[in-house]
């Protein structure tokens, strides 16, 4: 009978997306729910479907028969082997976990650490509201802390956050969680686990860690629990005997209970080690107890002489040697050859690596599984096999002893190269297919990189992995693999290309210092290859990036260093068009940055800066490289912004988007596209085109690279919807923004102020003081900047004050003359600022109201929203109701329903009732009357 369990419709949606290998943040963005809600659903699904970790949950979701949302879903079959006994150990380990935050279950391979840890974790799951998370560290080939953190992140459903390493992201995500983290098989990566745990436990007071390892981790506050062998007490009633009897019975021939005392003595010879007992029990049906005793006794005698502390190692080794000796010769060969696989493998993969026919391999794998030497699992791709870590290590030893290590590793490398090449074509179920083999790629790379004769193949695999990791949004690893490919390349020209891709990946990660370092490395490689022009491009790009992406640098590039780079690039460029374009861009960026740093650009300098930028665009256009031209257009848009030419800046931003609209998702094109989307949304807001701004902002919010940084992804979308007055959209997206912002901690220099101010304004207009208070805390975290004082902050504050009828306060808030404020602070807010300032002057009866209107009319001419605000103010001043109501239609056409409703309220009479009803439908509190 198949047990059933109730799975809600929402849980079914989450399960489906877990099966697609999406992270929690990606699932939240797809379903418009919070990351914490996704975590809760995943934790619930792990319990309901009785699977240990996210990988198993993804396999469950990817099974051919996915759960129907309208009826209960079947539970996965219970584990192939049940957990036996261990009552005392479970109680002791549970007590230690309740008292200490980091407990390590220590013991030799095969003693049963993992099963005990899983059982205890399941029993404690109800005490951890944020879940119990299991992480298998076996596939790791590197003891780096970042690799450990990345594996933990995968189990938790976290993706990479641009600008933050995984060993920072995981503690940040768990900082306010009350959860149990189970880290299994830590012994081979202790050097990476220890610093990771120190940081995790220091920053996450609600997290408890249960680790399993063959040796202590030696971290502060660690409490070690030595896992004993199976209980031998009670003779025929011991845990060890019960384990043997159950496993032997699974073979179809239940042992006679009269033999329990003899079985007890036999288990004592094996020191009660669980794996040794299970391997022996698998042979019960063919050898019987006499055969088992005879065979294993000889093997144990051969291994005698070790110290008492090594007895359990002796028992497992004896059982493995004996089980191995009983195998047919072909099966022994197969076992050692498939030990190169780090995770599950198919029959086809085993046949290719083991150099044997599929039918022969299929039969052999089945026999190995029957003898408990392999674990069989079902997957969407068919039957898969996996060796437990202890058995895999044993097989690797046999591979070395047989002198086959180099040959089989080479075949495994070839298999990885073929699979990687196939994965470069992204098709359906791509993520699960990549995740299934990624650990084998990493293992093959770790081996091949140290083999001089395999250098070319290692370089090719590194290139494939770099591209695949980028597609998978593992940008940090992608950068590392591109650098690895560059270091392995024999051709310096190839190395230069790889360094450039690595620099682009670093740009996606918002790591300006790495971008700079890697472009310098690319220039050196280009020079070694004789490509002076290529080196010039790299050096000029390094300088230009220091200007364009200054906020991404931890160490700002000193001006003299940037000048030296440009000078060297000029000397190397010659007549090469691309090199000359890159140099021109760097020079234009330098001129623009110098003007911005001075905060007040001389009137004589602005035309020169614009001319330099236009020249850079012209030269880039001649190269027919859309990315080079886009970079030059970015600088040109900045120059027009400096000049106060809002509409030209917006037109330039649109030109960038036309160039990049078909940009593929590659390391080189992606950072340029993300930057362009943000600039386009920003520029269109400045010009008052809310519909276009929202289109670009939505594309930015949906970009896969920003899934883990929801605050950055949704920033301009929130600003646009706040200005339009779309309450429901702001509330929905602000959940994603706030969660991501809280995970980041303190993004004080990240340009998030306008979004925060916009959301705060919406909650103020809704009358939701609780939400307003929460967002006020975010405002305080961002700090007060000139832009908040004179730019976006003044605009959003004025909108609230005018809604409340506090017109004199609004007038005071915008007392600063527009020309007194630095252009870069107010450039996209200038039209909004002068229009609202003019309206406040009219409503407050200011003596200079007419002059303000005249100034505003000139400044905002061509801006549909700001122009309508000024037109409304003039109608109010002249008491022209027909003209006033016409502006309501203009606001509707411009995609600004809030201002349309507000206009009708200001019109009075029946129109005011319609306007008040529209405001209420939008979700706003009533407007206050303005005292005459």
């Amino acid at each position: 009978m198949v047990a059933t369990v109730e799975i809600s419709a929402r849980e079914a949606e989450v399960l489906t997306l877990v099966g697609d290998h999406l992270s929690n943040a990606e699932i939240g963005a797809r379903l418009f729910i919070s990351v914490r809600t996704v975590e809760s659903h995943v934790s619930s699904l792990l319990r309901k479907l009785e699977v240990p970790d996210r990988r198993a949950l993804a396999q469950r979701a990817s099974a051919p028969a996915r759960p129907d949302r309208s009826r209960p879903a079947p539970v996965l079959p219970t584990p192939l082997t049940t957990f036996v006994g261990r009552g005392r150990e479970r109680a002791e380990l549970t007590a230690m976990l309740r008292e200490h935050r980091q407990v390590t279950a220590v013991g030799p391979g095969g003693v049963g650490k993992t099963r005990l840890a899983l059982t205890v974790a399941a029993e404690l799951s109800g005490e951890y509201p944020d879940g119990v998370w299991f992480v298998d560290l076996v596939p790791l080939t590197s003891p780096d802390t970042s690799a450990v953190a990345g594996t933990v992140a995968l189990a938790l459903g976290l993706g990479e956050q641009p600008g933050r390493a995984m060993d920072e992201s995981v503690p940040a995500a768990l900082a306010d969680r009350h959860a149990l983290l189970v880290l299994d098989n830590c012994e081979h990566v202790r050097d990476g686990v220890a610093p990771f745990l120190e940081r995790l436990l220091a920053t996450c007071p609600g997290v408890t860690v249960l680790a399993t390892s063959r040796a202590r981790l030696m971290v502060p506050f660690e409490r070690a629990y030595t896992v004993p062998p199976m209980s031998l007490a009670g003779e025929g009633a011991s845990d060890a005997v019960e384990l043997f009897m159950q496993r032997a019975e699974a073979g179809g021939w239940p042992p006679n209970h009269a033999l329990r005392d003899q079985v007890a003595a036999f288990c004592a010879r094996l020191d009660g080690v669980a794996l040794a007992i299970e391997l022996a029990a698998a042979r019960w049906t063919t050898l019987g107890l006499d055969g088992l005793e005879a065979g294993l006794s000889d093997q144990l005698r051969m291994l005698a002489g070790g110290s008492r502390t090594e007895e359990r190692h002796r028992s497992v080794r004896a059982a493995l040697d004996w089980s191995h000796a009983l195998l047919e010769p072909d099966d022994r060969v197969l076992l050692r050859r498939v030990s190169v696989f780090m995770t599950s493998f198919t029959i086809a993969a085993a046949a290719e690596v083991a150099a044997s026919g599929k039918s022969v391999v299929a039969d052999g794998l089945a026999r190995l599984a029957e003898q408990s030497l392999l674990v069989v699992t079902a997957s969407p791709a068919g039957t898969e096999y996996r060796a437990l870590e202890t058995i895999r290590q044993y097989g690797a030893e046999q591979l070395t002893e047989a002198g086959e290590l180099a040959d089989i590793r080479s075949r495994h490398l070839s298999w990885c190269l073929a699979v990687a090449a196939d994965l470069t074509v992204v098709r359906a179920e791509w993520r699960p297919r990549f995740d299934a083999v990624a650990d084998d790629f990493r293992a093959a790379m770790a081996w091949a990189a140290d083999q001089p004769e395999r250098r070319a193949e290692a370089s090719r695999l590194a290139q494939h992995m770099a591209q695949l990791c980028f597609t998978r949004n593992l940008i940090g690893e992608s950068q590392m693999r591109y650098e690895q490919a560059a270091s392995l390349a024999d051709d310096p020209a190839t190395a230069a290309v790889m360094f450039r891709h690595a620099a682009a990946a670093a740009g996606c990660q918002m790591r300006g210092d790495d971008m700079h370092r890697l472009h310098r490395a690319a220039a050196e490689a280009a020079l070694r290859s004789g490509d002076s022009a290529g080196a010039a491009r790299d050096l000029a790009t390094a300088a230009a990036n220091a200007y364009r992406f200054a906020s991404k640098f931890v160490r700002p590039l000193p001006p003299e260093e940037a000048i030296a780079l440009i000078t060297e690039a000029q000397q190397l460029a010659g007549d090469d068009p691309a090199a000359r374009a890159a140099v021109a861009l760097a020079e234009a960026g330098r001129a623009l940055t110098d003007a911005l740093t001075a905060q007040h650009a001389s009137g004589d300098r602005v035309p020169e800066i614009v001319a330099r930028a236009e020249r850079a665009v012209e030269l880039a256009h001649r190269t027919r490289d859309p990315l080079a031209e886009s970079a030059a257009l970015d600088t040109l848009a900045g120059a027009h912004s400096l000049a106060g030419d809002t509409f030209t800046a917006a037109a330039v931003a649109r030109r960038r988007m036309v160039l990049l609209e078909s940009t593929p998702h590659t390391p080189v094109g992606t950072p340029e596209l993300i930057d362009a989307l943000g600039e386009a949304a920003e520029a269109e807001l400045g010009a008052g085109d809310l519909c276009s701004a929202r289109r670009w902002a939505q594309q930015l919010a949906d970009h896969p690279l920003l899934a883990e940084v929801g605050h950055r992804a949704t920033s301009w979308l929130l600003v646009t919807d706040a200005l339009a007055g779309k309450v429901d959209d702001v509330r929905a997206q602000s959940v994603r923004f706030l969660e991501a912002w809280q995970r980041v901690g303190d993004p004080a220099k990240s340009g998030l102020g306008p979004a925060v101010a916009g959301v705060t304004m919406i909650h103020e207009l809704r009358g939701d003081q609780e939400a307003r208070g929460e967002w006020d805390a975010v405002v305080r975290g961002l700090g007060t900047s000139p832009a908040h004082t004179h730019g976006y902050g003044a605009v959003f504050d004025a909108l609230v004050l005018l809604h409340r009828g506090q017109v004199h306060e609004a007038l005071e808030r915008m007392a600063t003359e527009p020309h007194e404020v630095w252009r870069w602070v107010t450039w996209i807010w200038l039209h909004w600022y002068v229009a609202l300032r003019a309206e406040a002057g009219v409503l407050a009866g200011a003596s200079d109201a007419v002059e303000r209107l005249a100034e505003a009319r000139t400044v905002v001419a061509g801006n549909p929203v700001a122009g309508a605000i000024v037109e409304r103010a003039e109608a109010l001043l002249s008491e022209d109701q027909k003209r006033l109501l016409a502006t309501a239609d203009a606001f509707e056409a411009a995609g600004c329903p809030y201002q349309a409703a507000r206009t009708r309220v200001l019109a009075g009479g029946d129109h005011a009732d319609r306007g008040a009803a529209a405001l209420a439908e939008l979700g706003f509190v009533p407007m206050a009357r303005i005292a005459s």
Side-chain angles (χ1 to χ4, degrees), residues 116-142:
L116 176 62
L118 279 172
T119 301
V120 169
E123 292 171 351
L124 285 172
S125 60
E127 300 181 21
Y128 294 92
D130 292 315
V132 174
W133 307 98
F134 179 78
V135 186
D136 185 4
L137 299 179
V138 163
L140 281 182
T141 57
S142 168

Side-chain angles (χ1 to χ4, degrees), residues 219-291:
V219 294
F221 312 115
E222 177 185 29
R223 294 296 184 273
Y225 177 77
T226 301
V227 178
M230 301 292 289
S231 168
L232 296 168
E235 298 180 347
S238 69
D239 288 347
V241 170
E242 190 60 34
L243 176 66
F244 182 94
M245 300 294 276
Q246 284 195 20
R247 299 299 188 262
E249 184 177 359
W253 180 21
N256 190 322
H257 280 254
L259 297 174
R260 293 181 77 95
D261 289 342
Q262 291 175 262
V263 169
F266 176 72
C267 291
R269 295 291 308 279
L270 294 174
D271 301 306
V273 175
L275 179 58
I277 293 171
E278 291 186 330
L279 289 172
R283 292 284 182 174
W284 162 260
T285 56
T286 56
L287 296 177
L289 189 56
D290 290 343

Side-chain angles (χ1 to χ4, degrees), residues 628-701:
E629 188 173 353
S630 169
L633 286 170
D634 176 33
T635 301
L636 180 59
H640 284 300
S641 300
L642 180 69
D645 192 344
T646 301
F647 296 110
T648 303
V652 171
R654 286 193 290 272
R655 283 175 62 188
R656 278 188 86 188
M657 291 313 307
V658 170
L659 273 175
L660 299 174
E661 61 184 355
S662 59
T663 301
H665 184 58
T666 64
V668 176
T670 297
E672 193 68 32
L673 175 62
I674 289 175
D675 181 72
L677 284 169
E679 181 177 75
E682 194 176 10
E684 297 288 22
L685 281 172
D689 188 345
L690 293 182
C691 295
S692 293
R694 196 180 198 286
R695 180 170 73 254
W696 304 129
Q698 186 67 63
Q699 288 186 32
L700 192 66

Side-chain angles (χ1 to χ4, degrees), residues 51-249:
V51 293
D53 57 18
R54 192 182 185 93
R55 181 173 293 188
L57 190 63
Q59 286 182 330
R60 175 67 180 87
S62 301
R66 292 190 176 183
D68 188 308
R69 298 179 187 178
S70 64
R71 64 175 185 269
V75 176
L76 273 180
T78 56
L80 295 177
T81 57
T82 57
F83 187 78
V84 174
R86 298 256 193 210
R88 178 176 58 83
E89 294 92 327
R90 286 153 63 181
E92 291 173 348
L93 188 53
T94 296
M96 289 185 72
L97 284 167
R98 285 176 174 151
E99 186 176 352
H100 304 289
R101 292 185 54 218
Q102 204 277 297
V103 177
T104 304
V106 179
V111 79
K113 300 183 297 295
T114 298
R115 293 297 299 272
L116 176 62
L118 279 172
T119 301
V120 169
E123 292 171 351
L124 285 172
S125 60
E127 300 181 21
Y128 294 92
D130 292 315
V132 174
W133 307 98
F134 179 78
V135 186
D136 185 4
L137 299 179
V138 163
L140 281 182
T141 57
S142 168
D144 292 343
T145 302
S146 58
V148 173
T151 303
V152 174
L154 186 65
L156 294 175
L158 303 176
E160 286 193 8
Q161 294 182 10
R164 170 171 281 191
M166 277 299 194
D167 56 341
E168 298 173 311
S169 297
V170 173
L174 295 176
D176 61 345
R177 301 297 199 258
H178 185 199
L180 174 63
L181 186 64
V182 182
L183 298 182
D184 194 34
N185 292 294
C186 297
E187 56 274 350
H188 65 301
V189 287
R190 282 197 304 166
D191 290 344
V193 171
F196 170 76
L197 285 184
E198 288 188 45
R199 182 169 195 164
L200 181 75
L201 294 172
T203 56
C204 305
V207 172
T208 299
V209 175
L210 170 59
T212 74
S213 178
R214 297 185 184 185
R216 292 187 60 179
L217 303 178
M218 305 305 291
V219 294
F221 312 115
E222 177 185 29
R223 294 296 184 273
Y225 177 77
T226 301
V227 178
M230 301 292 289
S231 168
L232 296 168
E235 298 180 347
S238 69
D239 288 347
V241 170
E242 190 60 34
L243 176 66
F244 182 94
M245 300 294 276
Q246 284 195 20
R247 299 299 188 262
E249 184 177 359

Side-chain angles (χ1 to χ4, degrees), residues 874-885:
E874 291 182 328
L876 287 168
L877 185 64
S878 62
E879 299 183 353
D880 186 338
Q881 188 182 60
K882 182 177 180 181
R883 184 181 177 188
L884 179 64
L885 290 172

